[in-house]
PDB file of all heavy atoms in Angstrom:
ATOM      1  N   ASP M   9      10.742  -3.080 -14.973  1.00  0.00           N
ATOM      2  CA  ASP M   9       9.657  -3.792 -14.376  1.00  0.00           C
ATOM      3  C   ASP M   9       8.677  -2.983 -13.619  1.00  0.00           C
ATOM      4  O   ASP M   9       7.623  -3.476 -12.950  1.00  0.00           O
ATOM      5  CB  ASP M   9      10.207  -4.877 -13.400  1.00  0.00           C
ATOM      6  CG  ASP M   9      11.011  -5.961 -14.148  1.00  0.00           C
ATOM      7  OD1 ASP M   9      10.694  -6.423 -15.277  1.00  0.00           O
ATOM      8  OD2 ASP M   9      12.003  -6.504 -13.480  1.00  0.00           O
ATOM      9  N   LEU M  10       8.770  -1.711 -13.679  1.00  0.00           N
ATOM     10  CA  LEU M  10       7.904  -0.750 -13.026  1.00  0.00           C
ATOM     11  C   LEU M  10       6.530  -0.907 -13.598  1.00  0.00           C
ATOM     12  O   LEU M  10       6.300  -0.872 -14.732  1.00  0.00           O
ATOM     13  CB  LEU M  10       8.420   0.703 -13.163  1.00  0.00           C
ATOM     14  CG  LEU M  10       7.491   1.732 -12.518  1.00  0.00           C
ATOM     15  CD1 LEU M  10       7.512   1.678 -11.039  1.00  0.00           C
ATOM     16  CD2 LEU M  10       7.962   3.142 -13.021  1.00  0.00           C
ATOM     17  N   VAL M  11       5.588  -1.053 -12.672  1.00  0.00           N
ATOM     18  CA  VAL M  11       4.045  -1.086 -13.118  1.00  0.00           C
ATOM     19  C   VAL M  11       3.258  -0.011 -12.420  1.00  0.00           C
ATOM     20  O   VAL M  11       2.203   0.244 -13.044  1.00  0.00           O
ATOM     21  CB  VAL M  11       3.514  -2.512 -12.819  1.00  0.00           C
ATOM     22  CG1 VAL M  11       4.241  -3.631 -13.462  1.00  0.00           C
ATOM     23  CG2 VAL M  11       3.576  -2.765 -11.099  1.00  0.00           C
ATOM     24  N   LYS M  12       3.708   0.641 -11.398  1.00  0.00           N
ATOM     25  CA  LYS M  12       2.852   1.676 -10.922  1.00  0.00           C
ATOM     26  C   LYS M  12       3.727   2.485  -9.983  1.00  0.00           C
ATOM     27  O   LYS M  12       4.575   2.091  -9.311  1.00  0.00           O
ATOM     28  CB  LYS M  12       1.726   1.032 -10.086  1.00  0.00           C
ATOM     29  CG  LYS M  12       0.824   2.070  -9.449  1.00  0.00           C
ATOM     30  CD  LYS M  12      -0.044   2.715 -10.507  1.00  0.00           C
ATOM     31  CE  LYS M  12      -1.153   3.671  -9.900  1.00  0.00           C
ATOM     32  NZ  LYS M  12      -1.996   4.330 -10.963  1.00  0.00           N
ATOM     33  N   ARG M  13       3.421   3.927  -9.918  1.00  0.00           N
ATOM     34  CA  ARG M  13       3.923   4.803  -8.854  1.00  0.00           C
ATOM     35  C   ARG M  13       2.766   5.498  -8.230  1.00  0.00           C
ATOM     36  O   ARG M  13       1.902   6.062  -8.916  1.00  0.00           O
ATOM     37  CB  ARG M  13       4.909   5.898  -9.497  1.00  0.00           C
ATOM     38  CG  ARG M  13       5.328   6.899  -8.546  1.00  0.00           C
ATOM     39  CD  ARG M  13       6.346   7.807  -9.061  1.00  0.00           C
ATOM     40  NE  ARG M  13       7.588   6.992  -9.319  1.00  0.00           N
ATOM     41  CZ  ARG M  13       8.589   7.350 -10.089  1.00  0.00           C
ATOM     42  NH1 ARG M  13       8.511   8.609 -10.685  1.00  0.00           N
ATOM     43  NH2 ARG M  13       9.655   6.665 -10.179  1.00  0.00           N
ATOM     44  N   ILE M  14       2.730   5.476  -6.885  1.00  0.00           N
ATOM     45  CA  ILE M  14       1.783   6.201  -6.142  1.00  0.00           C
ATOM     46  C   ILE M  14       2.527   7.377  -5.361  1.00  0.00           C
ATOM     47  O   ILE M  14       3.398   7.090  -4.603  1.00  0.00           O
ATOM     48  CB  ILE M  14       1.078   5.241  -5.062  1.00  0.00           C
ATOM     49  CG1 ILE M  14       0.322   4.078  -5.749  1.00  0.00           C
ATOM     50  CG2 ILE M  14       0.179   5.940  -4.168  1.00  0.00           C
ATOM     51  CD1 ILE M  14      -0.222   3.017  -4.807  1.00  0.00           C
ATOM     52  N   ASN M  15       2.071   8.532  -5.646  1.00  0.00           N
ATOM     53  CA  ASN M  15       2.712   9.680  -5.214  1.00  0.00           C
ATOM     54  C   ASN M  15       1.820  10.783  -4.811  1.00  0.00           C
ATOM     55  O   ASN M  15       0.876  11.032  -5.347  1.00  0.00           O
ATOM     56  CB  ASN M  15       3.598  10.316  -6.370  1.00  0.00           C
ATOM     57  CG  ASN M  15       4.567  11.286  -5.943  1.00  0.00           C
ATOM     58  OD1 ASN M  15       4.889  11.448  -4.851  1.00  0.00           O
ATOM     59  ND2 ASN M  15       5.218  11.984  -6.935  1.00  0.00           N
ATOM     60  N   PRO M  16       2.100  11.365  -3.538  1.00  0.00           N
ATOM     61  CA  PRO M  16       3.153  11.060  -2.611  1.00  0.00           C
ATOM     62  C   PRO M  16       2.825   9.819  -1.669  1.00  0.00           C
ATOM     63  O   PRO M  16       1.636   9.599  -1.342  1.00  0.00           O
ATOM     64  CB  PRO M  16       3.279  12.237  -1.836  1.00  0.00           C
ATOM     65  CG  PRO M  16       1.811  12.850  -1.685  1.00  0.00           C
ATOM     66  CD  PRO M  16       1.205  12.443  -2.959  1.00  0.00           C
ATOM     67  N   TRP M  17       3.846   9.112  -1.320  1.00  0.00           N
ATOM     68  CA  TRP M  17       3.701   7.923  -0.391  1.00  0.00           C
ATOM     69  C   TRP M  17       5.149   7.590   0.120  1.00  0.00           C
ATOM     70  O   TRP M  17       6.142   7.914  -0.645  1.00  0.00           O
ATOM     71  CB  TRP M  17       3.136   6.819  -1.109  1.00  0.00           C
ATOM     72  CG  TRP M  17       2.284   5.865  -0.276  1.00  0.00           C
ATOM     73  CD1 TRP M  17       2.774   4.656   0.421  1.00  0.00           C
ATOM     74  CD2 TRP M  17       0.894   6.052   0.065  1.00  0.00           C
ATOM     75  NE1 TRP M  17       1.714   4.168   1.083  1.00  0.00           N
ATOM     76  CE2 TRP M  17       0.555   4.940   0.894  1.00  0.00           C
ATOM     77  CE3 TRP M  17      -0.007   6.964  -0.340  1.00  0.00           C
ATOM     78  CZ2 TRP M  17      -0.723   4.788   1.430  1.00  0.00           C
ATOM     79  CZ3 TRP M  17      -1.293   6.756   0.163  1.00  0.00           C
ATOM     80  CH2 TRP M  17      -1.584   5.666   0.983  1.00  0.00           C
ATOM     81  N   HIS M  18       5.185   7.010   1.293  1.00  0.00           N
ATOM     82  CA  HIS M  18       6.498   6.622   1.790  1.00  0.00           C
ATOM     83  C   HIS M  18       6.349   5.528   2.789  1.00  0.00           C
ATOM     84  O   HIS M  18       5.425   5.376   3.600  1.00  0.00           O
ATOM     85  CB  HIS M  18       7.089   7.869   2.580  1.00  0.00           C
ATOM     86  CG  HIS M  18       8.626   7.653   2.862  1.00  0.00           C
ATOM     87  ND1 HIS M  18       9.611   7.625   1.942  1.00  0.00           N
ATOM     88  CD2 HIS M  18       9.244   7.311   3.964  1.00  0.00           C
ATOM     89  CE1 HIS M  18      10.753   7.472   2.441  1.00  0.00           C
ATOM     90  NE2 HIS M  18      10.605   7.143   3.772  1.00  0.00           N
ATOM     91  N   ALA M  19       7.461   4.623   2.746  1.00  0.00           N
ATOM     92  CA  ALA M  19       7.653   3.610   3.720  1.00  0.00           C
ATOM     93  C   ALA M  19       6.381   2.621   3.856  1.00  0.00           C
ATOM     94  O   ALA M  19       5.961   2.357   4.924  1.00  0.00           O
ATOM     95  CB  ALA M  19       7.966   4.070   5.100  1.00  0.00           C
ATOM     96  N   ALA M  20       5.809   2.322   2.677  1.00  0.00           N
ATOM     97  CA  ALA M  20       4.592   1.447   2.657  1.00  0.00           C
ATOM     98  C   ALA M  20       4.772   0.073   3.224  1.00  0.00           C
ATOM     99  O   ALA M  20       5.851  -0.561   3.077  1.00  0.00           O
ATOM    100  CB  ALA M  20       4.085   1.347   1.189  1.00  0.00           C
ATOM    101  N   GLU M  21       3.743  -0.324   3.893  1.00  0.00           N
ATOM    102  CA  GLU M  21       3.551  -1.736   4.311  1.00  0.00           C
ATOM    103  C   GLU M  21       2.270  -2.253   3.687  1.00  0.00           C
ATOM    104  O   GLU M  21       1.321  -1.492   3.546  1.00  0.00           O
ATOM    105  CB  GLU M  21       3.454  -1.854   5.854  1.00  0.00           C
ATOM    106  CG  GLU M  21       4.620  -1.491   6.517  1.00  0.00           C
ATOM    107  CD  GLU M  21       5.720  -2.733   6.696  1.00  0.00           C
ATOM    108  OE1 GLU M  21       5.316  -3.805   6.926  1.00  0.00           O
ATOM    109  OE2 GLU M  21       6.795  -2.519   6.283  1.00  0.00           O
ATOM    110  N   ILE M  22       2.285  -3.379   3.107  1.00  0.00           N
ATOM    111  CA  ILE M  22       1.143  -4.019   2.551  1.00  0.00           C
ATOM    112  C   ILE M  22       0.584  -5.106   3.594  1.00  0.00           C
ATOM    113  O   ILE M  22       1.267  -5.815   4.126  1.00  0.00           O
ATOM    114  CB  ILE M  22       1.396  -4.724   1.308  1.00  0.00           C
ATOM    115  CG1 ILE M  22       2.026  -3.776   0.286  1.00  0.00           C
ATOM    116  CG2 ILE M  22       0.317  -5.474   0.667  1.00  0.00           C
ATOM    117  CD1 ILE M  22       2.574  -4.414  -1.041  1.00  0.00           C
ATOM    118  N   VAL M  23      -0.747  -4.969   3.820  1.00  0.00           N
ATOM    119  CA  VAL M  23      -1.364  -5.787   4.852  1.00  0.00           C
ATOM    120  C   VAL M  23      -2.772  -6.215   4.429  1.00  0.00           C
ATOM    121  O   VAL M  23      -3.483  -5.466   3.639  1.00  0.00           O
ATOM    122  CB  VAL M  23      -1.496  -5.023   6.245  1.00  0.00           C
ATOM    123  CG1 VAL M  23      -2.303  -3.778   6.102  1.00  0.00           C
ATOM    124  CG2 VAL M  23      -1.974  -5.953   7.318  1.00  0.00           C
ATOM    125  N   ARG M  24      -3.221  -7.501   4.844  1.00  0.00           N
ATOM    126  CA  ARG M  24      -4.475  -7.950   4.514  1.00  0.00           C
ATOM    127  C   ARG M  24      -5.417  -7.998   5.770  1.00  0.00           C
ATOM    128  O   ARG M  24      -4.870  -8.369   6.858  1.00  0.00           O
ATOM    129  CB  ARG M  24      -4.492  -9.430   3.988  1.00  0.00           C
ATOM    130  CG  ARG M  24      -3.837  -9.413   2.554  1.00  0.00           C
ATOM    131  CD  ARG M  24      -4.089 -10.755   1.839  1.00  0.00           C
ATOM    132  NE  ARG M  24      -5.393 -10.880   1.393  1.00  0.00           N
ATOM    133  CZ  ARG M  24      -5.834 -12.039   0.797  1.00  0.00           C
ATOM    134  NH1 ARG M  24      -4.900 -13.059   0.574  1.00  0.00           N
ATOM    135  NH2 ARG M  24      -6.954 -12.150   0.288  1.00  0.00           N
ATOM    136  N   ASP M  25      -6.670  -7.518   5.719  1.00  0.00           N
ATOM    137  CA  ASP M  25      -7.619  -7.525   6.753  1.00  0.00           C
ATOM    138  C   ASP M  25      -8.149  -8.957   6.976  1.00  0.00           C
ATOM    139  O   ASP M  25      -8.001  -9.768   6.140  1.00  0.00           O
ATOM    140  CB  ASP M  25      -8.627  -6.467   6.617  1.00  0.00           C
ATOM    141  CG  ASP M  25      -9.167  -6.035   7.929  1.00  0.00           C
ATOM    142  OD1 ASP M  25      -8.940  -6.591   8.972  1.00  0.00           O
ATOM    143  OD2 ASP M  25      -9.919  -4.926   7.870  1.00  0.00           O
ATOM    144  N   LEU M  26      -8.881  -9.114   8.082  1.00  0.00           N
ATOM    145  CA  LEU M  26      -9.516 -10.439   8.373  1.00  0.00           C
ATOM    146  C   LEU M  26     -10.481 -10.843   7.300  1.00  0.00           C
ATOM    147  O   LEU M  26     -10.758 -12.039   7.209  1.00  0.00           O
ATOM    148  CB  LEU M  26     -10.233 -10.392   9.747  1.00  0.00           C
ATOM    149  CG  LEU M  26      -9.299 -10.029  10.861  1.00  0.00           C
ATOM    150  CD1 LEU M  26     -10.043 -10.050  12.171  1.00  0.00           C
ATOM    151  CD2 LEU M  26      -7.977 -10.900  10.928  1.00  0.00           C
ATOM    152  N   ASP M  27     -10.983  -9.913   6.566  1.00  0.00           N
ATOM    153  CA  ASP M  27     -12.069 -10.226   5.448  1.00  0.00           C
ATOM    154  C   ASP M  27     -11.324 -10.382   4.155  1.00  0.00           C
ATOM    155  O   ASP M  27     -12.022 -10.605   3.158  1.00  0.00           O
ATOM    156  CB  ASP M  27     -13.075  -9.107   5.334  1.00  0.00           C
ATOM    157  CG  ASP M  27     -12.499  -7.681   5.115  1.00  0.00           C
ATOM    158  OD1 ASP M  27     -11.302  -7.692   4.888  1.00  0.00           O
ATOM    159  OD2 ASP M  27     -13.183  -6.793   5.080  1.00  0.00           O
ATOM    160  N   GLY M  28     -10.074 -10.432   4.163  1.00  0.00           N
ATOM    161  CA  GLY M  28      -9.268 -10.597   2.885  1.00  0.00           C
ATOM    162  C   GLY M  28      -8.945  -9.366   2.223  1.00  0.00           C
ATOM    163  O   GLY M  28      -8.154  -9.466   1.135  1.00  0.00           O
ATOM    164  N   LYS M  29      -9.476  -8.263   2.532  1.00  0.00           N
ATOM    165  CA  LYS M  29      -9.196  -7.062   1.805  1.00  0.00           C
ATOM    166  C   LYS M  29      -7.693  -6.555   2.003  1.00  0.00           C
ATOM    167  O   LYS M  29      -7.155  -6.767   3.043  1.00  0.00           O
ATOM    168  CB  LYS M  29     -10.158  -5.979   2.197  1.00  0.00           C
ATOM    169  CG  LYS M  29     -11.604  -6.110   1.822  1.00  0.00           C
ATOM    170  CD  LYS M  29     -12.514  -5.007   2.132  1.00  0.00           C
ATOM    171  CE  LYS M  29     -13.964  -5.328   1.765  1.00  0.00           C
ATOM    172  NZ  LYS M  29     -14.931  -4.214   2.178  1.00  0.00           N
ATOM    173  N   TRP M  30      -7.170  -5.835   0.949  1.00  0.00           N
ATOM    174  CA  TRP M  30      -5.766  -5.420   0.974  1.00  0.00           C
ATOM    175  C   TRP M  30      -5.672  -4.043   1.383  1.00  0.00           C
ATOM    176  O   TRP M  30      -6.585  -3.200   0.932  1.00  0.00           O
ATOM    177  CB  TRP M  30      -5.170  -5.621  -0.356  1.00  0.00           C
ATOM    178  CG  TRP M  30      -4.991  -7.081  -0.732  1.00  0.00           C
ATOM    179  CD1 TRP M  30      -6.017  -7.875  -1.254  1.00  0.00           C
ATOM    180  CD2 TRP M  30      -3.832  -7.973  -0.739  1.00  0.00           C
ATOM    181  NE1 TRP M  30      -5.511  -9.181  -1.567  1.00  0.00           N
ATOM    182  CE2 TRP M  30      -4.191  -9.140  -1.291  1.00  0.00           C
ATOM    183  CE3 TRP M  30      -2.517  -7.773  -0.349  1.00  0.00           C
ATOM    184  CZ2 TRP M  30      -3.323 -10.304  -1.494  1.00  0.00           C
ATOM    185  CZ3 TRP M  30      -1.651  -8.729  -0.464  1.00  0.00           C
ATOM    186  CH2 TRP M  30      -2.010 -10.013  -1.052  1.00  0.00           C
ATOM    187  N   TYR M  31      -4.686  -3.552   2.114  1.00  0.00           N
ATOM    188  CA  TYR M  31      -4.398  -2.235   2.453  1.00  0.00           C
ATOM    189  C   TYR M  31      -2.946  -1.914   2.289  1.00  0.00           C
ATOM    190  O   TYR M  31      -2.031  -2.749   2.348  1.00  0.00           O
ATOM    191  CB  TYR M  31      -4.895  -1.904   3.872  1.00  0.00           C
ATOM    192  CG  TYR M  31      -6.402  -1.994   4.002  1.00  0.00           C
ATOM    193  CD1 TYR M  31      -6.963  -3.214   4.299  1.00  0.00           C
ATOM    194  CD2 TYR M  31      -7.177  -0.763   3.947  1.00  0.00           C
ATOM    195  CE1 TYR M  31      -8.345  -3.232   4.437  1.00  0.00           C
ATOM    196  CE2 TYR M  31      -8.555  -0.932   4.093  1.00  0.00           C
ATOM    197  CZ  TYR M  31      -9.200  -2.138   4.298  1.00  0.00           C
ATOM    198  OH  TYR M  31     -10.529  -2.113   4.419  1.00  0.00           O
ATOM    199  N   LEU M  32      -2.743  -0.539   2.049  1.00  0.00           N
ATOM    200  CA  LEU M  32      -1.391   0.095   1.930  1.00  0.00           C
ATOM    201  C   LEU M  32      -1.307   1.065   3.056  1.00  0.00           C
ATOM    202  O   LEU M  32      -1.956   1.967   2.954  1.00  0.00           O
ATOM    203  CB  LEU M  32      -1.192   0.662   0.478  1.00  0.00           C
ATOM    204  CG  LEU M  32       0.275   1.035   0.141  1.00  0.00           C
ATOM    205  CD1 LEU M  32       1.041  -0.139  -0.009  1.00  0.00           C
ATOM    206  CD2 LEU M  32       0.224   1.846  -1.073  1.00  0.00           C
ATOM    207  N   SER M  33      -0.337   0.783   3.828  1.00  0.00           N
ATOM    208  CA  SER M  33      -0.081   1.806   4.865  1.00  0.00           C
ATOM    209  C   SER M  33       1.087   2.620   4.572  1.00  0.00           C
ATOM    210  O   SER M  33       1.892   2.366   3.738  1.00  0.00           O
ATOM    211  CB  SER M  33       0.167   1.111   6.340  1.00  0.00           C
ATOM    212  OG  SER M  33       1.394   0.471   6.304  1.00  0.00           O
ATOM    213  N   ARG M  34       1.228   3.879   5.252  1.00  0.00           N
ATOM    214  CA  ARG M  34       2.327   4.715   4.918  1.00  0.00           C
ATOM    215  C   ARG M  34       2.693   5.507   6.220  1.00  0.00           C
ATOM    216  O   ARG M  34       1.939   5.703   7.146  1.00  0.00           O
ATOM    217  CB  ARG M  34       1.828   5.800   3.953  1.00  0.00           C
ATOM    218  CG  ARG M  34       0.661   6.700   4.321  1.00  0.00           C
ATOM    219  CD  ARG M  34       0.587   7.880   3.303  1.00  0.00           C
ATOM    220  NE  ARG M  34       1.584   8.905   3.460  1.00  0.00           N
ATOM    221  CZ  ARG M  34       1.679  10.038   2.747  1.00  0.00           C
ATOM    222  NH1 ARG M  34       0.776  10.198   1.845  1.00  0.00           N
ATOM    223  NH2 ARG M  34       2.580  10.874   3.135  1.00  0.00           N
ATOM    224  N   SER M  35       3.936   5.962   6.215  1.00  0.00           N
ATOM    225  CA  SER M  35       4.377   6.846   7.185  1.00  0.00           C
ATOM    226  C   SER M  35       4.092   8.230   6.988  1.00  0.00           C
ATOM    227  O   SER M  35       3.889   8.533   5.736  1.00  0.00           O
ATOM    228  CB  SER M  35       5.851   6.651   7.594  1.00  0.00           C
ATOM    229  OG  SER M  35       6.567   6.945   6.356  1.00  0.00           O
ATOM    230  N   SER M  36       4.108   9.194   7.892  1.00  0.00           N
ATOM    231  CA  SER M  36       3.602  10.414   7.744  1.00  0.00           C
ATOM    232  C   SER M  36       4.553  11.322   6.813  1.00  0.00           C
ATOM    233  O   SER M  36       4.031  12.089   5.990  1.00  0.00           O
ATOM    234  CB  SER M  36       3.422  11.109   9.055  1.00  0.00           C
ATOM    235  OG  SER M  36       4.685  11.217   9.709  1.00  0.00           O
TER     236      SER M  36
END
């Protein structure tokens, strides 16, 4: 079921802003 790998990345959180845009956060 894999559709995408983003590398390098770690411990992502998915969040939406007040304008509806999507963001992907990461730890260092």
Side-chain angles (χ1 to χ4, degrees):
D9 294 327
L10 177 67
V11 295
K12 183 68 176 183
R13 172 170 295 162
I14 298 174
N15 192 11
W17 210 265
H18 191 77
E21 292 279 313
I22 298 172
V23 61
R24 293 189 77 179
D25 205 347
L26 303 182
D27 59 4
K29 293 181 180 178
W30 296 78
Y31 289 87
L32 189 69
S33 68
R34 63 168 286 182
S35 63
S36 64

